[in-house]
Amino acid sequence: MIYRRSSALFAEAQHYIPGGVNSPVRAFKAVGGNPVFVKEAKGAYLYDEDGNRLIDYIASWGPLILGHAYAPVIDAVIEKAKKGTSFGMPTEIETQLAKLAVTMVPNIDKIRFVNSGTEACMSAVRLARGFTGKDKIIKFAGCYHGHSDSFLIQAGSGAVTFGSPNSPGVTQGTAKDTLLAVYNNLESVKALAAANKGEIAAIIIEPVAGNMGCIIPEENFIKGLRELCDQEDILLIFDEVMTGFRLAKGGAQEVLGVDADIVTFGKVIGGGLPVGAFAAREEIMGHLAPDGPVYQAGTLSGNPLAMSAGLAMLTELNNNPEVFRSLADKTKYLGKGMAQVLTDNSIPFQMNRFGSMISIHFTEEPVVDFESSAKGNNAIFKKYFHGMLDQGIYLPPSAFESYFLNDALSYEDLDETIAALSNIAKDLH
Ligand SMILES: *Cc1c(COP(=O)(O)O)cnc(C)c1O
C-alpha cells in the first residue's frame, strides 16, 4: 500500500503539533514508520488520505462499538447541532442520558458527565478522597486511568510505550499518595493496605485491563478486592472507561458480579464524541458540588452534541443487548482463527480475550499482569503490525493495547484478517 499523502500530512503536522499528533500513541513510535491519516470511515472500514481501505480494529480506541458513522448517532448529532452547540445552562438531554445510564448499570444512583475518561477518573478519586477523608490511593502497574498526575505512575499503553512510566512534571508529593500494586496479585494489595492502614481512600482498577494488552482478572482477585475494601473502609473504583457499555449493558460489574463503589466511564458512553462520566450511589454522589463540598465543574460538560451522540448510542445498546453476544462471538472467531495460524507456524504467543477485547502477546509465558505483558517480543510485534497494515488491516500500533472489535465487522472481514496473518506468519520469527 502507498502512504504518500499520509506521509506528507504527517510531515506538515510535525511543524505545528508536537510529534504531529494530539495523543502520543497515534504517532507509531512503538512500531516505527509514519502514521496513517484518516479521511473518512464507515462501518468497519477506514479510508485513508491515499485512498486505501483499512479494516479497523481500534474503533477510535473503543467508542465506536457499532462501527463508524453509525447512522442513528450521526443523525442525532446533526439534528442537535442545528439547535445550537453549547449553552452553559441545563438541558433536558443530560437527564435523558443520565437516566438511561443509571438504568443500564447496576449499583449507581447518580452520574455526573465530564469530557473525557481522564477527567472522569481524576474526579472519581477526588470524590473518594473527599468522601473518606483519606489521601492515598492504590493503583495497579500497567493500568491506565488517563493522564492526570496521580495516575502517571506505571500507567499502561501510551505511557509505557514511551518508556516514561513516571512522567516528568508529576511531583514527588503527588506520587507518594499513589501506591502501586500488582494486577491479579491480591497479596500485593493486602500488603499495601496493611502498611498504610487507615490512610487509603480508594483502590482504582480496570476490572478487565486493556492498557497492557487485554488482561483477564482472576475471579478471586476482584472478589478479594471487594472484601478487602469492605474490611478496611476503602472505596473500590472500577475504571470502566474501556469496559463500560462494551462487555455488557452493565459493564464489568455485571459480567464479574462484583459491585464497585464508584464507576467511571468514557469511550462508548459518548458514541464517538468527547464524553466521560463518573457514577456512584446517592450517599457518595451527594458529596459532590453543588450538593456537597467536593468541587468539580466543566464549561462544556453535558454538551448537547456529545449528549445526543451518547444517548443515541446507549439507546441502541439498550434496545439490542444481543449485540454484546454477537461481538463476543466475532472476537472468539477471530481469536480462534489467528491462534490456529500462529500455532501452525510455531510462533510462540499468548492470546487474551474477554468479550470483545482481545490481544496477542508474542511470549511463551501466560500474560497476567504488567511484568508478563512487558515480556512480549516487540521486534515480532512490529513485523506483525506492519505486515497486517500492508494488507489493509489496522491494528493498535502498540503491543500494550487491546483490540476493540466493532459490530460492523463481518465474518468476511474476520476471514480476510486471518488470511492476512497467514500470509505473513512465516516471517514472524
Ligand atoms: C482511555 C482510558 C482512559 C482515559 O480516557 P480519555 O478519554 O482518553 O481521557 C481512562 N481509563 C481507561 C481504562 C481507558 O481505557
Side-chain angles (χ1 to χ4, degrees):
M1 286 201 181
I2 292 174
Y3 294 107
R4 201 172 292 135
R5 197 168 146 71
S6 270
S7 297
L9 289 171
F10 185 50
E12 172 84 351
Q14 284 171 291
H15 283 294
Y16 303 105
I17 300 171
V21 293
N22 283 306
S23 195
V25 85
R26 295 178 197 167
F28 275 25
K29 289 269 194 230
V31 290
N34 288 338
V36 178
F37 274 56
V38 185
K39 189 166 187 187
E40 57 187 299
K42 180 72 189 163
Y45 307 127
L46 299 162
Y47 299 91
D48 72 16
E49 289 283 356
D50 288 282
N52 303 306
R53 189 203 81 170
L54 305 168
I55 300 177
D56 183 21
Y57 285 98
I58 69 166
S60 186
W61 300 98
L64 307 173
I65 190 166
L66 301 177
H68 290 275
Y70 188 69
V73 172
I74 301 300
D75 293 345
V77 173
I78 292 171
E79 281 314 304
K80 212 50 172 178
K82 290 179 187 162
K83 298 179 176 150
T85 57
S86 181
F87 312 109
M89 295 163 68
T91 54
E92 183 182 6
I93 195 167
E94 294 162 76
T95 309
Q96 291 170 335
L97 182 55
K99 192 170 166 186
L100 181 55
V102 165
T103 54
M104 289 173 80
V105 177
N107 209 33
I108 59 172
D109 298 323
K110 288 188 177 170
I111 184 164
R112 168 69 55 88
F113 294 112
V114 293
N115 305 286
S116 68
T118 295
E119 248 189 281
C121 294
M122 174 187 97
S123 308
V125 164
R126 184 181 304 140
L127 179 58
R129 286 173 165 151
F131 180 77
T132 59
K134 299 187 273 187
D135 286 347
K136 293 185 179 168
I137 58 167
I138 295 177
K139 82 173 280 286
F140 294 87
C143 278
Y144 181 66
H145 306 294
H147 66 91
S148 91
D149 286 3
S150 339
F151 302 125
L152 281 184
I153 322 288
Q154 287 211 16
S157 53
V160 168
T161 301
F162 300 101
S164 52
N166 300 288
S167 171
V170 176
T171 66
Q172 288 298 322
T174 299
K176 79 170 179 17
D177 286 330
T178 302
L179 309 173
L180 206 61
V182 178
Y183 204 88
N184 273 330
N185 183 334
L186 191 57
E187 291 311 312
S188 76
V189 190
K190 284 185 175 164
L192 288 175
N196 298 272
K197 206 169 171 56
E199 296 181 80
I200 298 168
I203 297 175
I204 184 166
I205 186 165
E206 291 180 60
V208 176
N211 285 292
M212 41 184 164
C214 174
I215 308 275
I216 299 162
E218 283 157 21
E219 193 180 339
N220 292 336
F221 172 60
I222 299 285
K223 295 218 159 90
L225 289 181
R226 180 67 270 172
E227 280 163 23
L228 179 67
C229 285
D230 290 341
Q231 282 160 13
E232 302 289 334
D233 256 332
I234 296 170
L235 296 184
L236 182 59
I237 304 176
F238 272 8
D239 176 353
E240 296 227 36
V241 170
M242 203 177 263
T243 52
F245 308 104
R246 171 165 286 277
L247 297 182
K249 273 192 200 187
Q253 282 195 106
E254 177 186 323
V255 178
L256 302 176
V258 174
D259 293 342
D261 297 303
I262 305 180
V263 188
T264 63
F265 300 102
K267 302 193 167 112
V268 177
I269 199 173
L273 268 77
V275 181
F278 57 107
R281 56 184 188 272
E282 168 64 35
E283 182 197 7
I284 297 174
M285 290 307 266
H287 276 63
L288 203 59
D291 285 347
V294 177
Y295 195 69
Q296 189 279 324
T299 301
L300 291 175
S301 292
N303 174 266
L305 298 193
M307 294 291 104
S308 67
L311 184 61
M313 180 62 89
L314 294 204
T315 301
E316 290 291 307
L317 297 175
N318 194 40
N319 293 343
N320 307 295
E322 59 281 4
V323 74
F324 299 110
R325 162 108 332 253
S326 142
L327 265 167
D329 286 347
K330 287 177 185 178
T331 311
K332 200 168 172 182
Y333 179 88
L334 177 74
K336 213 172 148 203
M338 293 178 90
Q340 190 63 51
V341 171
L342 293 172
T343 304
D344 290 349
N345 286 274
S346 314
I347 295 158
F349 73 99
Q350 301 294 319
M351 185 174 281
N352 287 353
R353 184 183 70 81
F354 197 106
S356 58
M357 293 163 61
I358 185 169
S359 59
I360 297 173
H361 304 258
F362 295 104
T363 167
E364 311 208 12
E365 281 174 44
V367 173
V368 298
D369 58 13
F370 177 64
E371 204 187 325
S372 46
S373 171
K375 286 188 179 147
N377 182 321
N378 204 45
I380 296 182
F381 182 83
K382 281 186 196 181
K383 279 194 224 170
Y384 162 66
F385 173 81
H386 281 291
M388 296 299 273
L389 181 59
D390 281 344
Q391 299 176 83
I393 313 293
Y394 195 80
L395 301 172
S398 160
F400 288 109
E401 303 283 0
S402 166
Y403 313 176
F404 299 100
L405 272 70
N406 71 77
D407 204 47
L409 285 161
S410 65
Y411 280 89
E412 289 72 39
D413 295 326
L414 304 178
D415 284 336
E416 192 177 327
T417 306
I418 296 163
L421 179 60
S422 189
N423 292 337
I424 56 162
K426 62 180 182 317
D427 301 321
L428 297 183
H429 285 285

